[in-house]
Amino acid sequence: MRFVHRTHKGNIREINEDYYYVPKEDGNLFILADGMGGHLAGETASKMAVETVVEELSKKEFKSTEELIESLKEAVRKSNEIVYKKSLEELNLRGMGTTISIVYVYDNKFFYTNVGDSRIYRIDGSIEQITRDDSFVNYLVDLGEITEEEAKEHPKKNVITRAIGTSENLIPEVMSFDLNSGKILMCSDGLSNMVSNEEMLKVLQNEELEDSADELLEKALKAGGIDNITFIIIEIK
């Protein structure tokens, strides 16, 4: 397993409110968060959430998939609790929150969870978004008021309905899949809003991971780069 990662504040934003974690060497935990709440607040929320999950999971050794799943849920709940309490304690951080996407490799399986609209894609000949955005437009799609195609261009497509730190209680879900070969892409909406799935697939078919990462970042910036851009590519062979 190999991986690469990139982060950039984009062409418009003054600071980078995204935060991520990858293992220093061979490891099994990958996290990406996209903060929100204005100057300092979003940056604080994403960093706190990621660091909390890392701290919660790095101190445990798992003996079963059931134990891992419960630990992932508890780590997300803990990060939500910490960010939420911090937002209440400091006036300048009121209303802060963050998305979070987590991938954990265990027993030849990929376990994942997400809150918000930072996405996880599976690439194996085709590209498939395996997470579902916690967004207002998906709510409208579920109600049958708009189609999935209309959702892509909806003016409120970036309004999320669930985030770390914006409510006292959060119930995360953990899912898993097998992947013997192919790639995983974790990204903030600074990439997915700027580069289509078809374009991402074409780039990710490149055998050179570093080249793929450079090209994805360049495409997002050339398309406008209106938000922070962060992504992690994991390759399985």
Side-chain angles (χ1 to χ4, degrees), residues 179-199:
L179 186 64
N180 297 320
S181 64
K183 294 173 183 175
I184 304 297
L185 172 67
M186 306 172 67
C187 67
S188 62
D189 63 357
L191 177 66
S192 57
N193 281 343
M194 294 289 100
V195 184
S196 70
N197 287 7
E198 293 75 20
E199 288 179 292

Side-chain angles (χ1 to χ4, degrees), residues 5 19 24 26 31-32 34 36 49 64 69 91 112 161 190 198 207 215 218 229 233:
H5 46 90
Y19 200 78
K24 292 182 180 178
D26 289 339
I31 313 171
L32 188 149
D34 179 357
M36 60 187 188
S64 67
I69 289 170
L91 186 61
Y112 67 96
T161 55
E198 293 75 20
E207 289 295 320
E215 188 174 352
E218 182 181 6
I229 305 158
I233 307 170

Side-chain angles (χ1 to χ4, degrees), residues 3 5 73:
F3 59 88
H5 46 90
K73 290 180 179 179

Side-chain angles (χ1 to χ4, degrees), residues 59-127:
K59 61 188 180 185
K60 295 182 179 180
E61 293 184 7
F62 306 109
K63 298 178 181 177
S64 67
T65 56
E66 292 77 16
E67 190 176 317
L68 168 62
I69 289 170
E70 189 51 45
S71 295
L72 281 168
K73 290 180 179 179
E74 182 56 34
V76 174
R77 288 193 291 260
K78 185 71 173 179
S79 68
N80 180 71
E81 176 187 337
I82 288 176
V83 174
Y84 181 72
K85 286 184 176 179
K86 188 70 171 179
S87 71
L88 296 180
E89 291 169 357
E90 298 190 26
L91 186 61
N92 65 316
L93 299 179
R94 287 283 167 85
M96 73 174 178
T98 183
T99 71
I100 198 164
S101 291
I102 304 170
V103 167
Y104 198 104
V105 185
Y106 178 81
D107 196 23
N108 295 319
K109 278 194 169 189
F110 287 79
F111 293 82
Y112 67 96
T113 185
N114 83 297
V115 178
D117 63 353
S118 292
R119 296 178 176 179
I120 303 174
Y121 292 89
R122 178 168 54 188
I123 297 94
D124 186 12
S126 61
I127 185 167

Side-chain angles (χ1 to χ4, degrees), residues 47-57 75 78-79 82-83:
K47 188 173 188 291
M48 287 180 66
V50 170
E51 289 181 345
T52 299
V53 172
V54 172
E55 182 180 359
E56 289 293 306
L57 295 178
K78 185 71 173 179
S79 68
I82 288 176
V83 174

Side-chain angles (χ1 to χ4, degrees), residues 109-218:
K109 278 194 169 189
F110 287 79
F111 293 82
Y112 67 96
T113 185
N114 83 297
V115 178
D117 63 353
S118 292
R119 296 178 176 179
I120 303 174
Y121 292 89
R122 178 168 54 188
I123 297 94
D124 186 12
S126 61
I127 185 167
E128 176 191 3
Q129 180 184 338
I130 60 173
T131 53
R132 181 168 174 79
D133 298 346
D134 293 312
S135 65
F136 178 67
V137 294
N138 270 345
Y139 171 70
L140 295 179
V141 170
D142 290 341
L143 290 178
E145 293 190 7
I146 63 172
T147 66
E148 291 190 1
E149 285 302 313
E150 289 172 332
K152 294 177 182 179
E153 303 299 329
H154 197 280
K156 293 186 177 181
K157 68 178 183 178
N158 292 326
V159 176
I160 62 175
T161 55
R162 197 170 68 135
I164 296 290
T166 58
S167 61
E168 189 172 4
N169 297 309
L170 182 77
I171 303 175
E173 292 183 78
V174 175
M175 291 145 286
S176 66
F177 62 90
D178 296 310
L179 186 64
N180 297 320
S181 64
K183 294 173 183 175
I184 304 297
L185 172 67
M186 306 172 67
C187 67
S188 62
D189 63 357
L191 177 66
S192 57
N193 281 343
M194 294 289 100
V195 184
S196 70
N197 287 7
E198 293 75 20
E199 288 179 292
M200 288 194 288
L201 175 61
K202 186 176 180 181
V203 172
L204 290 167
Q205 287 173 333
N206 190 331
E207 289 295 320
E208 296 298 326
L209 276 186
E210 294 288 347
D211 291 347
S212 292
D214 289 340
E215 188 174 352
L216 278 182
L217 179 57
E218 182 181 6

